[in-house]
Amino acid sequence: MIVLDKEHKLFTLHTQNTTYQMKADAYGVLLHTYYGPRVRGGDLSCLLQYTDRSFSPNPNAAGTCRTYSLDVLPREYAASGGGDFRIPSLEVEGPDGSHTASLRFAEAQVRPGKYALEGLPAFFGTEAEADTLVITLEDAALQLQVELFYGVFEAHDLITRAVRVVNRGEGTVRLRQAASLCLDLPGGDWDLITFDGRHVMERCPSRAPLRPGVQSVGSVRGTSSHQHNPFAILCGRDAGEEHGLCYGAMLLYSGNFQAAAERSQFESSRLVLGIHPYHFCWTLDPGASFTTPEAALVCSSQGFGAMSRRFHRAIRSNLLRDPYGDRRKPVLVNSWEATYFDFDADKLVELAAASAPLGVELFVLDDGWFGARDSDSSGLGDWTVNERKLPGGLEALVTRIQALGMSFGLWVEPEMVNEDSELYRAHPDWALSVPGRGPSRGRAQLVLDFSRKEVRDHIYAALKRVLSSADVSYVKWDMNRSLTDVWSAALAPERQGEVYHRYVLGVYEMLERLRQDFPNLLIEGCSGGGGRFDGGMLYYTPQIWCSDNTDAVDRLRIQYGTSFGYPPCTMGAHVSATPNEQTGRTASLETRGAVAMSGTFGYEMDLGKSSPEERETIRKQVEFFKKHHHLLQTGDYYRLTSPFQEGPYTAWAHVSPDGREALVNLVTGSTHAALPFTSLRLQGLDPNLDYRVNGGKLWPGDVLLTAGYPIPLFLGDYQTFQLYLEAVDASSPAF
Ligand code: GLA
């Protein structure tokens, strides 16, 4: 609900459990008065204090008043140069070379439903689900208009933000920084949690107290990156999984980003999230506008678990555009780790034939099917079927796969080109490179300049031909290197600071075209695994290959970290061969299955090499997944223990929204002799109901929530244990 008090220029956003408030003060400065647990409302600017602070300048409009300074007030969207020395949200270079803007309130408007952003990913919502507030600020001297968009999803406790900057003046201005979100909070005593890592070990949470000054993470790799995720949490020092105040901030963007937090001299804190200012400079000619990516905020006073579940629900219902909706997606087998580049049609059909009787429904042909692609150093860019490997093209192969009762999926990497390719030989200037310099290679490939329409059009036409040549129901859209040599032949020198962002817009445009032309196609995102796992990609690709690391034990950490912002149904996760190819670790099929099931679920191995016993286990595993998919896909997710903390096991649960059904998963760590007894305290159940556990005894919900369930002792490392709980209606004697 949005309460617009025009008279007092007071703007209050209420969600079910939170309140967010702004007020334009006597000078027209938009102040941020409150964001936290829901309060009744009223004018919360009474919380703000004013005093004379040395070295904190007073704006010209304040005259001789020394107690008013932008340097100390909580701001909603702070431009640089006006006496606020904290991290700015906006830095504008005026036609005269100045870097100062003074944004003052102009008007506010409420609109039913959720705003959309042209060409950019954004949460969507009907009038029943969301409302929009648009606050317009203006800089009179530059004649610059800044529109702040707020989307309020009351039931999800989610607030989205985006900003549009319009040049209404007669000169050209340049944006040096345009953040999506600025959040000023009182107090300096916060912890910052970021999600960091590397290729094959993405999104590990890292928590540290805010120190005085600026702390930031980000990406300048052209993608959101394996190294840092565009999602961060500010939380109280005492906040944990089930208690404490926390603020989650997510940027729906797949390119360079920065998440910067600052603890100021007077113990207030600021979080700024948006496109990274590195090599960003956007020219706005008279009349032109720039729209930032969207950011989304969730506040929870019941810890990280509740925060995550709010993001999960909102993402599932108002961000993903999944052709399957809540219907179960097919269980897939992917050819990559089974064959790498070494296959022909018979080998592929053999792989599929070994999988179909086990209940696997979708066969995905990974890399190696096109051009002269016999290794990773050639062929990218040539999106025509390699008829030497696949005589008769895709159609012949798909017919054989479908005859096994399976559907067919395909891997592509449209943004890339190998120098050893027909495409590169014909259009060497289509790859990003700086004139006079040889471009850096990554995995022996260069990056196509997707900021250019003719490049996108050419690649799109080739992809469309391939995807129309056979019945393809799934595509894995990969992207296997970071951007370097970022310079576009299509832009003037003073506009080269636009290339990174235009590249991302180009990727989004391609994905949108694909969605429009093939509305039933399920697209899985991928960038060397989880190098572009972000809310922006999720708008186009409702699932993303979580990591190239398929080791079940490492995946416990990767999927745990990923779950802080993103729901399990978005995490591409497969059972792969053991010993694992990335770590050499051995884990049981049951353990690998339980971990993969908490994502999209599938196999990434040659199932023909499995023993009869293993095949039976796999058949049962697939059956189990199909039976419980609704819980796994749409249940609420509870992190019961952390794989990063010393403990005998990692546990998590999927609980139906009504609390009547739950699937609890547990994987033990490396074992020791004479282990102590432990019980696992569950969450999300109804204390007043009794639950039948694994079809056997009845357990009272309140006991499971407080005392927990006793965990049997296991022999061996990395054992798994699954509990299926179902509430029974009549209260019968428990135990
Ligand atoms: C990337 C992906 C893998 C696989 C290979 C193919 O590394 O993450 O899953 O598709 O590319 O080259």
Side-chain angles (χ1 to χ4, degrees):
M1 182 178 49
I2 298 172
V3 185
L4 185 68
D5 177 348
K6 284 204 168 165
E7 190 192 336
H8 301 101
K9 297 183 183 142
L10 188 67
F11 316 104
T12 311
L13 318 178
H14 288 298
T15 69
Q16 210 172 320
N17 297 291
T18 66
T19 298
Y20 185 112
Q21 197 188 68
M22 298 155 271
K23 182 181 169 121
D25 69 10
Y27 304 113
V29 172
L30 190 64
L31 300 176
H32 177 80
T33 59
Y34 180 82
Y35 184 33
R38 182 157 177 159
V39 293
R40 264 172 289 156
D43 186 344
L44 299 172
S45 64
C46 56
L47 296 169
L48 309 183
Q49 288 173 296
Y50 297 82
T51 189
D52 183 356
R53 299 282 195 189
S54 314
F55 289 88
S56 288
N58 318 111
N60 186 272
T64 54
C65 172
R66 294 190 185 192
T67 59
Y68 187 88
S69 174
L70 299 179
D71 199 23
V72 297
L73 286 165
R75 317 270 309 276
E76 191 56 27
Y77 197 72
S80 65
D84 180 347
F85 299 102
R86 294 165 292 178
I87 338 163
S89 316
L90 187 74
E91 190 181 344
V92 192
E93 188 183 305
D96 53 4
S98 60
H99 278 236
T100 295
S102 308
L103 301 178
R104 298 294 178 259
F105 177 80
E107 58 165 334
Q109 235 187 50
V110 175
R111 300 178 193 160
K114 166 69 176 38
Y115 64 85
L117 302 175
E118 206 191 324
L120 280 165
F123 281 89
F124 48 83
T126 61
E127 294 182 14
E129 294 170 315
D131 291 308
T132 294
L133 169 69
V134 186
I135 297 184
T136 306
L137 308 177
E138 271 171 8
D139 179 280
L142 288 172
Q143 289 189 277
L144 196 73
Q145 217 171 47
V146 174
E147 293 166 333
L148 307 179
F149 289 84
Y150 297 82
V152 183
F153 289 83
E154 197 166 339
H156 293 316
D157 287 312
L158 182 99
I159 293 173
T160 66
R161 293 180 54 175
V163 179
R164 196 165 87 105
V165 184
V166 192
N167 181 5
R168 301 267 180 226
E170 276 161 19
T172 293
V173 300
R174 295 203 160 78
L175 302 181
R176 298 274 177 186
Q177 177 175 4
S180 302
L181 164 109
C182 167
L183 179 64
D184 276 0
L185 294 173
D189 212 13
W190 300 98
D191 281 356
L192 174 67
I193 305 178
T194 55
F195 295 85
D196 316 308
R198 55 191 184 275
H199 177 229
V200 298
M201 207 63 220
E202 298 90 342
R203 292 174 295 286
C204 301
S206 152
R207 177 173 182 166
L210 273 193
R211 310 180 266 105
V214 179
Q215 292 107 84
S216 73
V217 295
S219 167
V220 292
R221 294 168 174 271
T223 57
S224 47
S225 91
H226 300 89
Q227 287 71 15
H228 302 286
N229 194 260
F231 175 66
I233 300 171
L234 270 185
C235 63
R237 289 279 157 84
D238 63 338
E241 198 54 38
E242 293 171 77
H243 63 272
L245 186 60
C246 58
Y247 298 87
M250 176 181 290
L251 187 68
L252 281 72
Y253 191 57
S254 313
N256 290 350
F257 77 94
Q258 188 177 54
E262 177 168 3
R263 180 173 177 171
S264 81
Q265 55 179 337
F266 301 117
E267 295 294 312
S268 66
S269 299
R270 171 173 290 180
L271 180 70
V272 172
L273 184 60
I275 292 181
H276 202 298
Y278 165 76
H279 202 164
F280 174 81
C281 179
W282 199 276
T283 299
L284 287 181
D285 288 328
S289 67
F290 177 81
T291 304
T292 70
E294 178 164 281
L297 278 169
V298 165
C299 166
S300 151
S301 54
Q302 296 114 43
F304 310 131
M307 175 209 68
S308 296
R309 286 185 289 281
R310 288 174 189 171
F311 273 114
H312 293 182
R313 286 185 181 188
I315 288 174
R316 281 200 317 257
S317 57
N318 296 87
L319 182 64
L320 303 184
R321 298 176 298 168
D322 188 335
Y324 287 85
D326 280 347
R327 280 181 302 131
R328 183 176 67 73
K329 289 184 243 188
V331 175
L332 71 79
V333 62
N334 176 296
S335 67
W336 179 238
E337 291 195 16
T339 65
Y340 295 106
F341 294 103
D342 184 19
F343 60 82
D344 58 17
D346 289 345
K347 173 71 193 156
L348 298 176
V349 173
E350 205 182 294
L351 280 178
S355 317
L358 306 179
V360 178
E361 298 152 308
L362 166 65
F363 179 80
V364 178
L365 170 53
D366 208 278
D367 198 352
W369 57 267
F370 52 90
R373 184 78 169 163
D374 290 323
S375 76
D376 62 11
S377 52
S378 60
L380 283 175
D382 299 339
W383 299 107
T384 49
V385 177
N386 180 329
E387 295 241 1
R388 182 174 48 79
K389 290 183 183 176
L390 304 176
L394 274 194
E395 201 186 356
L397 176 67
V398 175
T399 307
R400 292 173 71 188
I401 300 287
Q402 286 181 335
L404 298 165
M406 297 176 95
S407 53
F408 181 80
L410 197 64
W411 178 96
V412 294
E413 193 179 357
E415 297 156 69
M416 297 293 154
V417 66
N418 284 118
E419 286 153 283
D420 184 2
S421 69
E422 297 304 321
L423 182 73
Y424 188 76
R425 281 185 279 275
H427 299 285
D429 63 307
W430 282 10
L432 288 175
S433 76
V434 178
R437 297 174 197 278
S440 304
R441 300 180 184 90
R443 208 194 187 200
Q445 62 200 48
L446 305 181
V447 184
L448 287 173
D449 182 355
F450 261 35
S451 73
R452 287 169 69 175
K453 187 169 177 335
E454 69 272 35
V455 178
R456 297 197 303 271
D457 284 351
H458 174 93
I459 296 292
Y460 188 76
L463 285 183
K464 190 171 173 182
R465 263 194 304 277
V466 172
L467 296 178
S468 310
S469 74
D471 187 3
V472 181
S473 61
Y474 162 105
V475 155
K476 177 175 167 188
W477 178 298
D478 209 342
M479 197 285 186
N480 279 315
R481 62 160 289 183
S482 303
L483 271 58
T484 58
D485 310 284
V486 174
W487 187 89
S488 176
L491 289 172
E494 67 277 12
R495 286 193 177 259
Q496 292 298 323
E498 300 178 13
V499 183
Y500 274 113
H501 182 58
R502 287 188 184 275
Y503 178 93
V504 179
L505 294 179
V507 173
Y508 290 156
E509 187 233 40
M510 288 278 278
L511 285 161
E512 190 59 36
R513 276 160 89 173
L514 203 54
R515 280 185 35 80
Q516 299 293 332
D517 286 344
F518 302 93
N520 298 321
L521 189 68
L522 173 61
I523 313 176
E524 175 154 350
C526 179
S527 174
R532 203 159 55 178
F533 201 118
D534 55 67
M537 283 307 280
L538 284 178
Y539 182 67
Y540 304 94
T541 69
Q543 58 192 51
I544 298 175
W545 185 226
C546 206
S547 176
D548 274 349
N549 185 344
T550 52
D551 175 281
V553 178
D554 275 357
R555 274 293 185 119
L556 290 175
R557 293 185 166 203
I558 297 167
Q559 293 175 200
Y560 170 89
T562 307
S563 77
F564 277 79
Y566 311 98
C569 67
T570 62
M571 299 182 208
H574 300 162
V575 176
S576 65
T578 206
N580 182 269
E581 298 197 5
Q582 291 88 21
T583 61
R585 191 185 346 243
T586 301
S588 72
L589 200 44
E590 287 78 1
T591 299
R592 285 176 280 148
V595 175
M597 245 176 236
S598 288
T600 57
F601 195 54
Y603 293 83
E604 185 107 1
M605 60 198 280
D606 184 346
L607 293 173
K609 290 187 178 153
S610 320
S611 68
E613 298 75 53
E614 285 171 334
R615 290 177 67 73
E616 186 49 21
T617 308
I618 292 170
R619 200 188 54 72
K620 287 200 181 128
Q621 207 160 65
V622 172
E623 206 173 85
F624 185 86
F625 171 76
K626 289 180 181 172
K627 184 162 168 218
H628 296 300
H629 86 94
H630 60 286
L631 265 183
L632 294 157
Q633 250 169 262
T634 61
D636 284 334
Y637 189 69
Y638 288 84
R639 293 177 292 264
L640 301 177
T641 69
S642 163
F644 290 92
Q645 273 159 16
E646 268 299 304
Y649 48 73
T650 300
W652 67 99
H654 306 263
V655 183
S656 62
D658 63 3
R660 296 186 62 86
E661 222 189 329
L663 181 68
V664 180
N665 300 275
L666 178 150
V667 176
T668 65
S670 67
T671 196
H672 303 285
L675 290 173
F677 294 121
T678 51
S679 291
L680 177 64
R681 215 169 44 73
L682 303 188
Q683 292 179 46
L685 304 180
D686 184 335
N688 300 315
L689 291 175
D690 291 335
Y691 292 84
R692 193 171 301 286
V693 177
N694 284 346
K697 282 187 188 166
L698 280 182
W699 284 76
D702 52 356
V703 172
L704 292 168
L705 289 168
T706 52
Y709 186 88
I711 301 302
L713 296 174
F714 293 94
L715 285 181
D717 295 340
Y718 316 121
Q719 300 297 310
T720 197
F721 181 59
Q722 289 184 305
L723 290 177
Y724 172 67
L725 285 80
E726 201 173 14
V728 290
D729 278 324
S731 181
S732 18
F735 297 99

